[in-house]
Amino acid sequence: MNVKQYFPIKPRYYKSITYLYIVMVIFVTGVFYKLLAGQPVSLTINTLHSICLLIAITRKMRLAYKYMLALLAIIFLYVSLSISYVDLIDLSFVAFYLPLLYTYLLPDILSPIIFSILFSGIFYSYSDTYSSEQILGNTIGIISAATLYSVLSFLVARLYDSREMYKELSIRDSLTKLYNLDYVVKIGDDMLSNGKNVTIFVFDLDYFKSFNDTYGHLLGNNVLIQVAEKIEEEVSTCGGLAARLGGDEFITFVPELSDDEADALFKRISLALSELYIVSDPELEPVKISLSMGMAHSVSSEAQSIRELLNIADMNMYYHKHTKLYDLRALHTQDLEYVLNEEEKQLLKVLSEKDMYSYIHSKYVVQYTSWILDKININEVDKVNILKGAWLHDIGKLFISNEILRKSSNLSESEYSIVKEHVQSGVHLIQKFNISVKGINAIKYHHERWDGAGYPDGVKGEMTPIEGRVLQLADAFSAMTVKRVYRKVNDLDSAILEIKKNKATQFDPQLVDLFVEIVEEKLKQENLKVGA
């Protein structure tokens, strides 16, 4: 039985209340059995009365059926008492119990009162020992008690329902009906504090702004609703909780997964959502929607809070989005964060929180740097330190305002001067960490040029250490192929042509030849080629 629908008690008490009423029915049935002993017909009919009540209490059914059973029960009671020879005037408590029971069964106000009038008529129509005034007084008492409890029960039920409604509104997104971020963060933090591991998946719709601009926001909202339903469907099978982050982003929490289970679930959901067709309007063809996903697992990431875990998943999602949207799949290789210690990872995390695009850019810079270093036979210790520099080469941007970093129009001369200071700021900051000269040089020289026209020192040719020249090339290629608010993304063909164009002016000519060869080899492995 869905007791919540019929009784205004908090959910954890519903079963207890149900059991209490079952005991009450059984007890009163026992009283009648004792009174009606030796009267088998009355006893049988009264048993039917009790059975009707027990069915109405314990079975989940339509409300109309409960009213029918309640009416049938009182008919059986009336018949059993009318053919018996029992004086019921001394059992008035039973008459009070029945309206109480009917108030529990029937959610409206009037039904219990009507039944209490019928009960009082039944009970006092078979007694010759009390005066009419006493019978009237007891009848009024029964009706008054039933009325009071019925009204109070109704009011408390409405109050509880209103409280639940507003509570539900406060934790749900009004459009998609998924939970909101604050609610799932609280649930997730509770899981972590209780020693449970949590896996977070972050979803972001690709090109959703273009869809809104093309079809309008009403159809866009319809897409969000259907995507939310699909995401919830995918994660609900494994006990996950889905929420809307805002805009076109969604998040899910799945508890108690191992690393392997989390990876397998990531692949399954990614496959299920890879080709999602949404019917945004019955008069339009289904629209293909693609999503980018990111994942973070509390065990492998050692995150201390859901906010930290969410940031990791967000970085992962943005990286996958850029890899997919800007045709960089062929250039995606292994994760190289292993070169960073915990302090350096925290520093990188701060950068990602300030400017996610700088983090994504740095991740590609590290990959390209690693490829070049593998070809020029740098020893492993130096490679690790140079890769640290590649990860942190833009760390000086922490000291630049977001207003400048995210400015979509051309920078003024003074603003560009501020941006150029990020090199020296980064070097000064990194010197406080345990990074070798190789790593610091990679940061210090990554904006110099082969022809000496770079900054901050205008160093020329091979006067720039090899780690600086490698990073110049990796930084420029990543900057051309990763989206920024102030620059359009170049495709791989255009980026390679630009690198070749600046051979021996901006970049070391030997490194250019080597890097182009590496990229073409990577693309060949993916059955692609430059200029295709």
Side-chain angles (χ1 to χ4, degrees):
M1 172 188 176
N2 183 10
V3 186
K4 180 177 178 181
Q5 185 177 355
Y6 304 114
F7 201 77
I9 303 295
K10 290 184 178 180
R12 61 179 177 272
Y13 297 131
Y14 290 158
K15 285 188 177 180
S16 299
I17 293 297
T18 300
Y19 295 147
L20 174 63
Y21 275 95
I22 292 173
V23 170
M24 289 171 61
V25 172
I26 294 173
F27 172 75
V28 175
T29 301
V31 172
F32 279 114
Y33 262 69
K34 186 176 181 179
L35 289 172
L36 300 173
Q39 302 180 53
V41 176
S42 296
L43 199 59
T44 301
I45 297 174
N46 191 265
T47 301
L48 293 174
H49 157 262
S50 299
I51 290 173
C52 288
L53 291 178
L54 288 173
I55 292 174
I57 291 172
T58 58
R59 296 296 297 274
K60 184 176 181 180
M61 61 181 66
R62 293 173 182 263
L63 191 58
Y65 295 153
K66 289 185 178 290
Y67 277 99
M68 291 170 61
L69 285 170
L71 182 59
L72 195 58
I74 196 171
I75 291 174
F76 283 136
L77 179 64
Y78 178 80
V79 173
S80 69
L81 295 180
S82 64
I83 64 175
S84 68
Y85 305 101
V86 177
D87 188 353
L88 297 174
I89 194 67
D90 294 323
L91 295 173
S92 299
F93 75 92
V94 178
F96 281 93
Y97 138 81
L98 288 169
L100 181 66
L101 180 64
Y102 276 75
T103 303
Y104 165 73
L105 278 179
L106 309 175
D108 67 290
I109 295 177
L110 291 178
S111 296
I113 298 172
I114 294 171
F115 279 115
S116 70
I117 295 172
L118 295 175
F119 291 146
S120 62
I122 293 172
F123 273 88
Y124 293 109
S125 61
Y126 302 105
S127 177
D128 297 327
T129 58
Y130 282 74
S131 66
S132 59
E133 289 81 6
Q134 289 174 311
I135 292 174
L136 179 61
N138 286 331
T139 301
I140 293 173
I142 293 173
I143 297 172
S144 299
T147 303
L148 177 63
Y149 186 82
S150 181
V151 172
L152 286 177
S153 178
F154 181 82
L155 292 176
V156 173
R158 297 289 80 74
L159 181 64
Y160 179 75
D161 288 344
S162 297
R163 187 180 74 104
E164 288 298 297
M165 179 186 69
Y166 286 114
K167 178 183 177 182
E168 191 74 4
L169 288 173
S170 70
I171 62 175
R172 294 278 185 179
D173 173 61
S174 59
L175 176 64
T176 62
K177 307 308 177 188
L178 296 182
Y179 292 110
N180 59 32
L181 178 61
D182 289 340
Y183 179 72
V184 293
V185 165
K186 181 180 182 302
I187 297 295
D189 281 332
D190 288 344
M191 289 179 183
L192 287 180
S193 62
N194 290 327
K196 296 182 179 180
N197 68 67
V198 178
T199 304
I200 288 183
F201 298 98
V202 174
F203 307 84
D204 185 78
L205 271 68
D206 301 328
Y207 303 117
F208 188 65
K209 184 180 183 301
S210 298
F211 182 93
N212 271 340
D213 292 343
T214 302
Y215 296 100
H217 290 280
L218 290 179
L219 293 185
N221 287 345
N222 193 10
V223 168
L224 290 176
I225 292 170
Q226 293 184 61
V227 169
E229 291 173 350
K230 183 64 176 177
I231 291 174
E232 189 171 36
E233 175 188 331
E234 290 296 329
V235 299
S236 61
T237 57
C238 49
L241 194 67
R244 186 183 180 194
L245 274 175
D248 59 351
E249 290 186 308
F250 302 89
I251 180 175
T252 64
F253 286 57
V254 184
E256 297 300 311
L257 293 179
S258 66
D259 283 339
D260 290 340
E261 289 172 332
D263 290 338
L265 182 59
F266 180 90
K267 292 176 182 177
R268 180 174 71 78
I269 295 176
S270 180
L271 181 62
L273 299 178
S274 60
E275 293 203 5
L276 186 60
Y277 287 87
I278 298 294
V279 180
S280 57
D281 189 315
E283 298 181 2
L284 298 176
E285 289 292 322
V287 180
K288 182 180 178 181
I289 298 294
S290 68
L291 296 91
S292 297
M293 282 181 62
M295 182 185 76
H297 190 45
S298 61
V299 173
S300 56
S301 67
E302 299 182 352
Q304 300 299 310
S305 71
I306 290 298
R307 297 282 181 183
E308 291 180 24
L309 207 58
L310 179 57
N311 185 65
I312 295 170
D314 221 26
M315 290 190 292
N316 187 254
M317 183 271 292
Y318 274 107
Y319 178 66
H320 282 96
K321 178 182 280 287
H322 278 81
T323 301
K324 178 174 66 175
L325 296 187
Y326 302 113
D327 199 25
L328 303 179
R329 286 181 290 272
L331 307 185
H332 175 61
T333 60
Q334 75 276 17
D335 187 357
L336 294 168
E337 275 194 29
Y338 76 91
V339 303
L340 301 173
N341 61 34
E342 287 305 314
E343 283 187 332
E344 292 156 358
K345 287 180 180 178
Q346 286 300 314
L347 200 57
L348 193 64
K349 176 187 170 186
V350 174
L351 177 62
S352 71
E353 290 174 347
K354 179 179 178 66
D355 182 26
M356 182 62 70
Y357 290 114
S358 291
Y359 168 80
I360 301 299
H361 162 68
S362 297
K363 191 159 187 171
Y364 280 109
V365 170
V366 174
Q367 307 246 8
Y368 305 149
T369 300
S370 176
W371 294 343
I372 298 173
L373 295 179
D374 287 341
K375 293 291 185 179
I376 60 177
N377 298 318
I378 295 288
N379 68 67
E380 187 62 25
V381 173
D382 285 344
K383 177 182 176 180
V384 167
N385 283 291
I386 294 170
L387 291 180
K388 284 178 184 252
W391 270 118
L392 301 170
H393 74 282
D394 273 344
I395 201 67
K397 290 183 178 178
L398 289 174
F399 305 101
I400 302 175
S401 70
N402 285 337
E403 182 181 357
I404 294 177
L405 283 180
R406 299 173 184 173
K407 186 176 180 180
S408 57
S409 57
N410 293 332
L411 296 177
S412 66
E413 186 175 337
S414 61
E415 289 171 334
Y416 185 56
S417 296
I418 292 173
V419 169
K420 290 195 292 185
E421 290 175 3
H422 83 276
V423 176
Q424 294 293 356
S425 298
V427 170
H428 292 154
L429 179 59
I430 289 303
Q431 285 174 340
K432 299 178 182 179
F433 294 81
N434 187 27
I435 295 180
S436 72
V437 173
K438 289 283 186 183
I440 293 174
N441 282 345
I443 299 172
K444 181 178 180 180
Y445 294 102
H446 79 275
H447 275 297
E448 299 291 357
R449 290 170 54 106
W450 183 260
D451 60 10
Y455 66 86
D457 298 324
V459 181
K460 184 177 181 180
E462 293 186 354
M463 295 296 292
T464 300
I466 184 64
E467 55 268 22
R469 284 178 274 147
V470 169
L471 214 66
Q472 291 167 14
L473 192 55
D475 176 66
F477 189 73
S478 173
M480 286 187 280
T481 55
V482 171
K483 180 185 176 183
R484 294 293 183 94
V485 293
Y486 51 82
R487 183 193 298 122
K488 291 183 178 180
V489 178
N490 289 25
D491 58 36
L492 294 179
D493 293 345
S494 300
I496 288 293
L497 288 175
E498 190 67 21
I499 292 293
K500 290 179 177 179
K501 178 181 175 182
N502 286 279
K503 177 181 177 180
T505 53
Q506 185 175 351
F507 308 116
D508 181 330
Q510 292 183 340
L511 289 181
V512 168
D513 292 339
L514 180 62
F515 185 68
V516 170
E517 179 184 333
I518 292 170
V519 173
E520 288 179 341
E521 181 182 343
K522 296 288 182 182
L523 294 175
K524 185 178 180 181
Q525 292 172 1
E526 296 292 326
N527 296 319
L528 300 170
K529 64 179 181 178
V530 177

